[in-house]
Each structure stands twice: as structure tokens, then as C-alpha cells.
């Protein structure tokens, strides 16, 4: 059986998981793929720390460039992360004519154009299955399984930290700060959690999914990003009363030739499959013109789930190499001929959840509804709650309204009118719904 | 761009969907795949009926063998179904050195050995993504995405008719016969529904998934099959009271070197993702040693979802042909070297739901529990219900017990002892739980 040699850049958590998986399931993989994947080299700046996996010391090196240019290494696997040395090494590997497997979402979201151009120019594969969804083979599904579909929309829960926080806020009625604190102590959230909770990690992944679905690089600055840092437990509770759960969703939608990509806390109706995705799990719902709605669910991060997808990619690239065709266009559709354009966010339409803390006087609900109506925003459901009198809200009551589909610009104009009317004691809360 | 010619055998519902999809999304597919898929011929015994899709009449033929041997047809797509002419034609195509794409679950479950041998012998591809899960790319995921995993278990809702019936029984409190009748009138169930409701369709699919996961042909006679025909609304209701939904599940489990494959109505706890799969939708949960639990959800049947997957397969085969490597072993792992054996059903262990209609006298619950205990079956939860006095159950009360993990043989022995004790007015009901 033919052998294909693999070199691993980065011997951290995921790197060690990939090494362990490759060694443990080597025989099964060879039987399934018809090609043997052989671990040839591992590079890291630190090769002395015990990674919990037994490897021959002769495989370890601190010289990443030597690994890339090693004639026994036919596939380079980048698991360093970030956009510094990782970018240099990925480009070096591609320029050396070696196919690359990477899990680096930030690199692809920010420099996807440059990376894919280098792969194209050198005629080699770039696989990036683990950049989105960890152990969920969503990239493969979009790239191959749904290749016959026009993609109409993608809705994804793509950040386990946020979903863990939102699940505990809802199930235990806790405020955001308290759950974040607990999550940090339990290792579910980073010491500096902003990449996760402010939505940027989700936005990186949304950029990659949108690029893959529509065949052009969707730059980060075109993605509307709103995190969960300012989400109030009050809104989680009111949403539940209306039959919704709040999830941080990446939403990618196509309307004719326009694409909208955004990330924000979103009310999801309870019977929707995405509402059942709890704790650190991820899920992506993809709507194709033929397939209809399909959903993919699993662990979005972690050593072994991420290794599962990286190894699946390695298997594909190995088979491509044996087949003598080093580059598959399906790696990404870098084919946009100007068919699609990004839709400016204020043009976006959605259903909205609005919460207004209103001076408690007769007719307040009517006044709010009238102003919304004047801007063409119609109400699906509304409720005026008794306030659980904290000092700063005494005399104010929360009015919660769910709207029908409305343009974001119209809703914003109405909320400005309401706010300037001087009957609110804090800015309105506006959340999108699906 | 290179062209690959496709011939379609069978111009029924799915055939027409594939033709329509290929024509509609031809340009997008070519951009994504780097190869143009050209529809060259369509064969059916009836080529006069309007299929709702505009095709050049010159493409249509009643001569299936001529299509197979047409030099312009490089890929043969079999959408006839069944094990008669479809089997003859699939073998003829493979023996003519043409790769085959099929959606025919019955053919693969019953003659998989013969079909895969012919593909192997002739060195050509056989793709069968749409044989399980309709629009859900579950076959591709198992074959490629999770190629680096040892598969520990697969749990699937694979029959839309059964899931539709079970959903309505639970949500509307209706008896089986009434929902089946409504489903038949609405076109959700066949006039002869036994293939669906007796579990054989699900068993065909379970056989294919197990074969793919473990690399050997799992014949139908090794699959324990129990349908939903005898499921009582009373059990659906009691299950709900305990926090479970009853689903017809295909269950594939590996314990060391033994594989267990079975199909039966199963109690699924409400927070489990499979409990949220309602109406005609399908879903498959796969547990890999690296990936952990992953779930795939979508429409399990229908013209367009099935076409989505068939077209995805056509794209793969087309790219394989262009790459000059006509056969990919990943099509199925026909590699079993005797590593795995089938586990005999009575050896299987599960948690069980038991309902016993017991003569209403003091101590009945204690007697039942004692007999179970004597056979080593321990009780997780139990309840004695007041009976809603229909005539034939007057004087009898339902005792419902949920057990811890127990061997099927032990549970059966206990139930025999209980039944022969003469305090039941009907045979015990035994359902498995996950």
C-alpha cells in the first residue's frame, strides 16, 4: 500500500490530538482510504513538554522550515493558529508545492484571498475542515455533499463558549457576568474572553462559510458583528416566555444576487432544531434549493473532535496525492464572477424583539406601537410586564414587542423617535429573531 | 472545461428531480467541481408521461442497455429501485466499466456483497449516498468526514413515515391506526405501508450504515427488526410522562469486536437531539472515538432532497474520472478481515421500558419488582397508573417500570415468569430506551 508522509506544525492541544488519532487509528484509516498515512515530522518551538502522547523523539524538531522542505513530508498540517508565523509557514508550504491542511479560522477569514491564491498558483490542495465547527464535517458537506445546491441560507451556532454561557443563563436564570466568571474558572472561557463573547470568533467562521457557499472572499469588515456581552437576563427570560431561546447565531442569507452575513444574539423558536443545541455544542443549519433544511451538530472545539476533522482532511489530501491530481477545486470555490454582492446591513430585513423600559403611565404601549406603525413596523405580539422593582427602574415598566418582518433601518428610525420622546429610562433593546 | 456524460436509468420522481437539478444548477456545479456534468441520456419504460421537467426528447430512450453502452455516457445513475431489473442494470454497468451512482437501499442491503464485488473487480466507483437519509449527506460523512474515527455507535431516525406517525400520535394523542389512515390519505404513507411501519425500510438503511462503519456486509437476517404497528398510544403517553419520546430507531453499537444492529421503537429522553426530530424529518447521530457525538438532520426522502445527494455523488464520480482514478476504496470499506462479529440479539444490553397490565390488588408492584430483581434486572423508576377504565381492562392497572441496563435475555426470562404468574390480562409491553 502506498504511503503518504505527514508533517505537523504545532504540537499543542490539537496537534497532540491529531498525532494520537493518526497513530491509534492508522490501520483502520489505511483500510478505508487505500493509502497509508505516515507521521513523519512534528515541529514546535517547545519540543520538551510532555504532550501526553508517545512519539519517537526523532520525529520532533524546532525547525519548521526544515519540516516543510523535508522530502518525506508530502502534506503539511498547520495547527499553530493566528496570523503570524502560521501565515508565513502556510504560504511557504504552498509555495514549496506541498498541500496544506489547517484548522486556522482567523488566517482564512483575514487572509483567505492570499492563501487560496497561493494554493491555486502552485496547483496544490488547501483543506480547512476544522476551521469551522470542530468535529462537525460542515466544510466538507458544503464543499461536496451539497455541491449540487444553490445555498439559500446558513444559520450556525459556532462558538461553544457563548452557547455554554447562554444555556446556563437560560436554564439557571443567572446574569451574564456570573456565568462568564464560572465559565472562566471551569476553563470553558479564556481569561480574555472578548474574541468569543464579542462575536469575532463566530464572525471568522461565518466569513469562511459564506466564502465557501458563494465563491468569493467575504472580508471580516463586511460582517455585522454583535456579541452577547450586553445581553440582559431579563431578555433571556422574556424570550423564554414568548417561546424562544436566545442563541448567538451566524446568519448567512442570499436574496437574489445579494448576500448578507451577520453575527448577533437571536431569538430562536423552541421547536427549531437550533434551540435544542445546548452547552458547548455547535450546530449549523444549511438550506439548499434541493436539499431543503439540513442540520449538522457536534462538538465545535476540543482536542479530539478537532483532530477528527483534521485527520479526515489529511485522508482526502493523501488520496488526492495518490490519485495524481494534487489540487481539487472543491477546496474552495474561488470562482466569483461578480454574480454576488454584499448587502449593506441597514437593508437587511428580520423579525425583531424589542424591549423598552417605559415610564409607567396609561397608554405607553399604545404610543410605542403607534410610533413603530408610523415607520411601517408591525407588531406580532406585545406584552407589558410588571417590573421587579430594582431601584433604578422604579416607575418604569418593560414593554416587550415582537415584530413582523421589518427593515433594520425602519426599526432603528422608530426606536430613535421613541427614545427621543423621553419616556424611556435606558436605550431600547433590539434583538433579531428567526 | 472537461465534460463528463451522465445517463439516468429511471425517470420517476427522483429521476425527474435529478434531471431538473442537473440542468438548473449546471453552471454553479461546474464552477465548484472544475468539471462539467452533462446530461446525455435518460432511460425509462415510459418516456411519454410528462415529468414536469423540460428535456430534449432526443435524450429519452426505452433501451436501458443502449444507455449503459453509449460511449457518451461515462456515469450510470440508477434510480429505478428494487432488486429486479435495477440489479441487472447496475451489474451490467459495472461490468461495462462504468461507475454507478444509485439511491437503491434495498439492492445494497440485500445484494451489497455482489454489487461491491463487481465494482471492485471492474475497478470502478459505486456511490450510494441517497440510499440512506435522502438529503442528508450521512454516507459521505461516514465514508470520508469521520474516516479517522473508530465508530462506536450510530442511532438513526431513518423512516419519515414512521416518524410522522409517531409525532402525531404523541402531539395529538391519537391511536396508531387513526394516524396511519390520515397519513395514507395525505400521501405520507403507502397503500401497503408494511415496508415502512414494520421497520424493514429502516433495517435496509441500518444494514448499509453498519456495513460502511465496520467494513463488512451486514446481512438483513442479522438485523433484529421490530416496527411500530403494535405501538399503543398508552405507551406514548406514559413515556411522555417520564420525559421521553418514542422514536423508531436504527441502533448500531460496537462492543469490543462485536457489532449489534437492530431496529425498534425506542424511548429517547427529551433533551436528546433525536427527540427534537419530528414529522417526516430524519436524523442520524454518530459517535466516533475522536469526534464524539455528531448529528445529521434533514429530509429523508422526496424528489429534491434525494436529488441533492444523488447529484453530490455524480459530482464526486465525475471528479474521480477527470482525476484518472476511477475507483475510490472509500466508496465502501470492503475490508473486514474477521475483526468484527455480529452480536446475537439476546446478548444485547439496554435500558427497558416495561408496561404490565396487572390485576389490581395490593402488592402487585412489589411482586413484579421482586421477579425482575430475581433475574438481575434493577428498576430505575416505576409507577402504577390509574386505568382509564375501558371494558377489557377493568380490574387491571398498568404498572410501568423503567430499568437500568439489563441483558435482553434476563428481561425476557423475568417477563415470562411474570406472565406465567397469571396476574396479567395481556402480554407485557417491552420497549428499549437510550
Amino acid at each position: 500500500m502506498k504511503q503518504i508522509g505527514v508533517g505537523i506544525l504545532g504540537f499543542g492541544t490539537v496537534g497532540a490530538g491529531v498525532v494520537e488519532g493518526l497513530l491509534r487509528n492508522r490501520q483502520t484509516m489505511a483500510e478505508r482510504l487505500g493509502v497509508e498515512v505516515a507521521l513523519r515530522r512534528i515541529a514546535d518551538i517547545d519540543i520538551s513538554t510532555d504532550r501526553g502522547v508517545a512519539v519517537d523523539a526523532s520525529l520532533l524538531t524546532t525547525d519548521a522550515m526544515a519540516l516543510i522542505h523535508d522530502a518525506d513530508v508530502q502534506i503539511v498540517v498547520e495547527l499553530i493558529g493566528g496570523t503570524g508565523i502560521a501565515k508565513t509557514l502556510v504560504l511557504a508550504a504552498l509555495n514549496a508545492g506541498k498541500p496544506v491542511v489547517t484548522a486556522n479560522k482567523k488566517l482564512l477569514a483575514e487572509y483567505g484571498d492570499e492563501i487560496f491564491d497561493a494554493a491555486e498558483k502552485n496547483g496544490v490542495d488547501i483543506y480547512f475542515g476544522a476551521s469551522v465547527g470542530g468535529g462537525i464535517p460542515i466544510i466538507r458537506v458544503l464543499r461536496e455533499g451539497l455541491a449540487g445546491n444553490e445555498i439559500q441560507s446558513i444559520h450556525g451556532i459556532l462558538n461553544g463558549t457563548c452557547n455554554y454561557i447562554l444555556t446556563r443563563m437560560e436554564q439557571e436564570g443567572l446574569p451574564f457576568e456570573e456565568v462568564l466568571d464560572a465559565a472562566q474558572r471551569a476553563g470553558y472561557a479564556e481569561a480574555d474572553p472578548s474574541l468569543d463573547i464579542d462575536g469575532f470568533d463566530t464572525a471568522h467562521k461565518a466569513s469562511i462559510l459564506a466564502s465557501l457557499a458563494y465563491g468569493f472572499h467575504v472580508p471580516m469588515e463586511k460582517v455585522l458583528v454583535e456579541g452577547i456581552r450586553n445581553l440582559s437576563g431579563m431578555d433571556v427570560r422574556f424570550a423564554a416566555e414568548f417561546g424562544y431561546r436566545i442563541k448567538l447565531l451566524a446568519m448567512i442569507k442570499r436574496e437574489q444576487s445579494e448576500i448578507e452575513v451577520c453575527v448577533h444574539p437571536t431569538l430562536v423558536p423552541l421547536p427549531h432544531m437550533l434551540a435544542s443545541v445546548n452547552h458547548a455544542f455547535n450546530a449549523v443549519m444549511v438550506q439548499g434549493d434541493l436539499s431543503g433544511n439540513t442540520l449538522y451538530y457536534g462538538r465545535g472545539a476540543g482536542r479530539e473532535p478537532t483532530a477528527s476533522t483534521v485527520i479526515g482532511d489529511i485522508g482526502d489530501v493523501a488520496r488526492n496525492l495518490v490519485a495524481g491530481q494534487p489540487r481539487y477545486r472543491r477546496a474552495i470555490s474561488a470562482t466569483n464572477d461578480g454574480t454576488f454582492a454584499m448587502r449593506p446591513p441597514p437593508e437587511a430585513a428580520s423579525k425583531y424583539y424589542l424591549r423598552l423600559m417605559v415610564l409607567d403611565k396609561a397608554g405607553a404601549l399604545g404610543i410605542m406601537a403607534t410610533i413603530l406603525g408610523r415607520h411601517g413596523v408591525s407588531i406580532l405580539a406585545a406584552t407589558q410586564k410588571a417590573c421587579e422593582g430594582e431601584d433604578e427602574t422604579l416607575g418604569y415598566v418593560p414593554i416587550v414587542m415582537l415584530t413582523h418582518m421589518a427593515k433594520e433601518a425602519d426599526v432603528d428610525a422608530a426606536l430613535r423617535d421613541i427614545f427621543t420622546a423621553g419616556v424611556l429610562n435606558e436605550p431600547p433593546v433590539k434583538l433579531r429573531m428567526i
Side-chain angles (χ1 to χ4, degrees), chain A residues 158-324:
Chain A
L158 298 173
N159 184 277
T161 304
C162 287
N163 207 49
Y164 173 86
I165 292 173
L166 292 172
T167 301
R168 290 198 60 190
M169 282 178 75
E170 194 220 352
Q171 293 184 350
E172 300 167 47
L174 298 173
F176 173 80
E177 294 76 14
E178 193 176 327
V179 183
L180 173 61
D181 198 54
Q184 284 172 318
R185 277 182 281 114
Y188 282 108
E190 306 279 342
D192 175 3
S194 61
L195 191 65
D196 292 320
I197 66 175
D198 293 329
F200 298 111
D201 174 79
T202 302
H204 284 141
K205 294 166 180 170
S207 155
I208 293 171
L209 292 180
S211 301
L212 199 53
Y214 299 108
F216 67 103
H217 181 66
V218 174
M220 282 290 288
E221 64 269 22
K222 291 289 180 69
V223 181
L224 174 82
V225 186
E226 194 183 312
I228 63 169
R229 192 189 288 270
N230 299 316
L231 188 67
S232 159
M234 197 191 288
D235 295 311
V236 173
R237 209 164 57 242
F238 290 155
E241 286 176 20
F242 278 107
Y244 294 81
R245 279 196 186 121
I246 297 180
K247 298 290 183 188
L248 183 70
L249 287 196
M251 295 175 58
I252 300 164
K253 279 190 282 190
R254 172 182 169 184
E255 292 271 348
Q256 316 298 338
S257 64
E258 286 191 323
I259 309 298
E260 182 190 334
V261 184
C262 50
V263 173
H264 46 65
T266 310
L267 277 74
V268 180
L270 284 177
H272 195 290
M273 286 294 284
L274 286 173
S276 301
V277 177
N278 287 319
H279 304 293
F281 278 89
N282 284 16
V284 187
M285 184 164 266
V286 181
Q287 189 182 13
D289 67 336
L290 296 171
S291 64
N293 273 324
T294 58
L295 177 123
Y296 311 90
Y297 164 94
R299 297 198 176 276
R303 170 181 156 128
E304 297 204 317
T306 307
S308 167
T309 303
V310 169
I311 294 173
D313 279 358
I314 293 172
D316 261 23
V317 176
R319 291 177 50 268
N320 293 348
L321 286 175
V322 169

Side-chain angles (χ1 to χ4, degrees), chain A residues 15-99:
Chain A
V18 169
V19 167
E20 187 179 14
L22 280 178
L23 296 175
R24 191 206 305 165
N25 297 341
R26 180 174 179 154
Q27 180 61 24
T28 307
M29 278 190 73
E31 286 169 3
R32 287 184 182 150
L33 302 174
V35 44
E36 202 172 318
V37 173
L39 180 66
R40 291 271 163 73
R41 259 166 138 51
I42 304 167
D44 200 287
I45 40 171
D46 167 11
I47 55 171
S48 55
T49 301
D50 182 5
R51 313 292 181 166
V53 48
V55 289
D56 192 329
S58 68
L59 298 181
L60 296 168
T61 176
T62 56
D63 188 344
M65 280 298 177
L67 180 150
I68 288 171
H69 293 285
D70 187 328
D72 286 340
V73 170
Q74 278 104 52
I75 302 174
V76 175
V77 181
E78 185 274 304
L79 301 168
I80 299 166
T83 54
I85 182 72
K87 185 185 170 204
T88 308
L89 294 176
V90 164
L91 289 172
L94 295 172
N95 289 326
K98 307 243 170 136

Side-chain angles (χ1 to χ4, degrees), chain A residues 397-412:
Chain A
V397 293
I399 289 182
V400 179
M401 289 182 281
L402 309 185
T403 78
H404 287 286
M405 287 297 282
K407 277 199 181 169
E408 174 130 28
D410 294 338
V411 173
D412 287 346

Side-chain angles (χ1 to χ4, degrees), chain A residues 315-364:
Chain A
D316 261 23
V317 176
R319 291 177 50 268
N320 293 348
L321 286 175
V322 169
Q325 162 147 322
R327 192 183 61 80
Y328 273 3
R329 286 180 66 133
R330 65 176 166 178
I332 199 167
S333 323
T335 53
N336 186 43
D337 52 358
T339 314
F340 294 116
M342 297 297 293
R343 174 197 292 257
E347 291 299 307
S350 175
K351 293 184 281 184
Y352 290 90
Y353 164 101
L354 307 173
R355 175 170 58 84
L356 309 165
M357 297 301 282
V358 181
L359 201 57
D360 189 7
K361 59 174 188 180

